[in-house]
Short mmCIF file of all heavy atoms in Angstrom, two decimals:
data_model
loop_
_atom_site.label_atom_id
_atom_site.label_comp_id
_atom_site.label_asym_id
_atom_site.label_seq_id
_atom_site.Cartn_x
_atom_site.Cartn_y
_atom_site.Cartn_z
N ASN Z 40 23.54 13.72 0.34
CA ASN Z 40 24.98 13.48 0.42
C ASN Z 40 25.41 13.76 1.84
O ASN Z 40 24.99 14.75 2.43
CB ASN Z 40 25.74 14.38 -0.55
CG ASN Z 40 25.30 14.16 -1.98
OD1 ASN Z 40 24.56 13.25 -2.27
ND2 ASN Z 40 25.71 15.00 -2.87
N TYR Z 41 26.30 12.90 2.41
CA TYR Z 41 26.66 13.05 3.82
C TYR Z 41 28.11 12.70 4.06
O TYR Z 41 28.78 12.10 3.21
CB TYR Z 41 25.75 12.18 4.70
CG TYR Z 41 25.73 10.72 4.32
CD1 TYR Z 41 26.69 9.84 4.81
CD2 TYR Z 41 24.74 10.21 3.49
CE1 TYR Z 41 26.67 8.50 4.47
CE2 TYR Z 41 24.71 8.87 3.14
CZ TYR Z 41 25.67 8.02 3.64
OH TYR Z 41 25.66 6.69 3.29
N ASP Z 42 28.59 13.09 5.24
CA ASP Z 42 29.94 12.80 5.69
C ASP Z 42 29.82 12.07 7.03
O ASP Z 42 28.75 12.06 7.65
CB ASP Z 42 30.72 14.11 5.86
CG ASP Z 42 32.22 13.90 5.78
OD1 ASP Z 42 32.68 12.74 5.87
OD2 ASP Z 42 32.95 14.90 5.66
N ALA Z 43 30.91 11.51 7.50
CA ALA Z 43 30.91 10.75 8.75
C ALA Z 43 30.37 11.60 9.90
O ALA Z 43 30.75 12.75 10.06
CB ALA Z 43 32.32 10.27 9.08
N GLY Z 44 29.45 11.03 10.67
CA GLY Z 44 28.91 11.68 11.85
C GLY Z 44 27.91 12.79 11.57
O GLY Z 44 27.34 13.36 12.49
N MET Z 45 27.68 13.09 10.33
CA MET Z 45 26.80 14.20 9.95
C MET Z 45 25.33 13.82 10.08
O MET Z 45 24.96 12.67 9.91
CB MET Z 45 27.11 14.56 8.48
CG MET Z 45 26.29 15.68 7.89
SD MET Z 45 26.72 15.93 6.14
CE MET Z 45 28.02 17.12 6.32
N THR Z 46 24.50 14.80 10.39
CA THR Z 46 23.06 14.65 10.30
C THR Z 46 22.58 15.67 9.28
O THR Z 46 22.83 16.87 9.44
CB THR Z 46 22.37 14.90 11.66
OG1 THR Z 46 22.81 13.89 12.57
CG2 THR Z 46 20.85 14.83 11.52
N ILE Z 47 21.93 15.19 8.21
CA ILE Z 47 21.52 16.06 7.12
C ILE Z 47 20.26 15.48 6.48
O ILE Z 47 20.07 14.27 6.47
CB ILE Z 47 22.65 16.23 6.09
CG1 ILE Z 47 22.31 17.31 5.06
CG2 ILE Z 47 23.01 14.91 5.45
CD1 ILE Z 47 23.51 17.74 4.23
N ALA Z 48 19.41 16.35 5.94
CA ALA Z 48 18.17 15.91 5.32
C ALA Z 48 17.96 16.62 3.99
O ALA Z 48 18.54 17.66 3.73
CB ALA Z 48 16.99 16.19 6.24
N ASN Z 49 17.09 16.04 3.17
CA ASN Z 49 16.71 16.65 1.91
C ASN Z 49 15.32 16.17 1.53
O ASN Z 49 14.94 15.03 1.82
CB ASN Z 49 17.70 16.29 0.80
CG ASN Z 49 17.62 17.19 -0.41
OD1 ASN Z 49 16.97 18.23 -0.38
ND2 ASN Z 49 18.29 16.81 -1.47
N GLN Z 50 14.56 17.05 0.89
CA GLN Z 50 13.25 16.67 0.37
C GLN Z 50 13.46 15.88 -0.91
O GLN Z 50 14.30 16.24 -1.75
CB GLN Z 50 12.42 17.90 0.08
CG GLN Z 50 11.05 17.56 -0.46
CD GLN Z 50 10.23 18.81 -0.77
OE1 GLN Z 50 10.53 19.89 -0.33
NE2 GLN Z 50 9.20 18.62 -1.55
N VAL Z 51 12.70 14.80 -1.08
CA VAL Z 51 12.83 13.94 -2.25
C VAL Z 51 11.46 13.72 -2.88
O VAL Z 51 10.51 13.37 -2.18
CB VAL Z 51 13.43 12.56 -1.85
CG1 VAL Z 51 13.51 11.63 -3.04
CG2 VAL Z 51 14.80 12.74 -1.20
N PHE Z 52 11.36 13.95 -4.17
CA PHE Z 52 10.17 13.57 -4.92
C PHE Z 52 10.48 12.21 -5.51
O PHE Z 52 11.44 12.06 -6.25
CB PHE Z 52 9.90 14.56 -6.05
CG PHE Z 52 9.22 15.82 -5.62
CD1 PHE Z 52 9.46 16.39 -4.40
CD2 PHE Z 52 8.33 16.44 -6.47
CE1 PHE Z 52 8.85 17.56 -4.01
CE2 PHE Z 52 7.70 17.62 -6.10
CZ PHE Z 52 7.96 18.18 -4.87
N ALA Z 53 9.69 11.20 -5.16
CA ALA Z 53 10.01 9.84 -5.55
C ALA Z 53 8.80 9.17 -6.21
O ALA Z 53 7.70 9.19 -5.67
CB ALA Z 53 10.43 9.03 -4.32
N ARG Z 54 9.05 8.56 -7.35
CA ARG Z 54 8.03 7.73 -7.99
C ARG Z 54 8.02 6.40 -7.25
O ARG Z 54 9.06 5.87 -6.87
CB ARG Z 54 8.37 7.51 -9.46
CG ARG Z 54 7.38 6.59 -10.17
CD ARG Z 54 7.72 6.41 -11.64
NE ARG Z 54 7.38 7.55 -12.43
CZ ARG Z 54 6.15 7.85 -12.87
NH1 ARG Z 54 5.15 7.07 -12.54
NH2 ARG Z 54 5.93 8.90 -13.61
N VAL Z 55 6.83 5.85 -7.01
CA VAL Z 55 6.74 4.55 -6.35
C VAL Z 55 6.83 3.45 -7.39
O VAL Z 55 6.48 3.64 -8.56
CB VAL Z 55 5.44 4.41 -5.52
CG1 VAL Z 55 5.42 5.41 -4.38
CG2 VAL Z 55 4.22 4.54 -6.38
N GLY Z 56 7.30 2.27 -6.97
CA GLY Z 56 7.37 1.12 -7.85
C GLY Z 56 6.00 0.49 -8.02
O GLY Z 56 5.00 0.92 -7.42
N ASP Z 57 5.93 -0.55 -8.84
CA ASP Z 57 4.66 -1.23 -9.10
C ASP Z 57 4.02 -1.77 -7.82
O ASP Z 57 2.81 -1.92 -7.75
CB ASP Z 57 4.86 -2.37 -10.10
CG ASP Z 57 5.20 -1.85 -11.49
OD1 ASP Z 57 4.88 -0.67 -11.79
OD2 ASP Z 57 5.79 -2.62 -12.28
N ASP Z 58 4.85 -2.05 -6.81
CA ASP Z 58 4.34 -2.57 -5.54
C ASP Z 58 3.97 -1.44 -4.56
O ASP Z 58 3.65 -1.69 -3.41
CB ASP Z 58 5.35 -3.52 -4.90
CG ASP Z 58 6.69 -2.84 -4.62
OD1 ASP Z 58 6.85 -1.65 -4.97
OD2 ASP Z 58 7.58 -3.50 -4.07
#
Side-chain angles (χ1 to χ4, degrees):
N40 301 351
Y41 55 85
D42 203 346
M45 179 182 270
T46 296
I47 189 166
N49 197 11
Q50 180 181 343
V51 177
F52 280 34
R54 177 179 284 281
V55 296
D57 291 338
D58 60 357

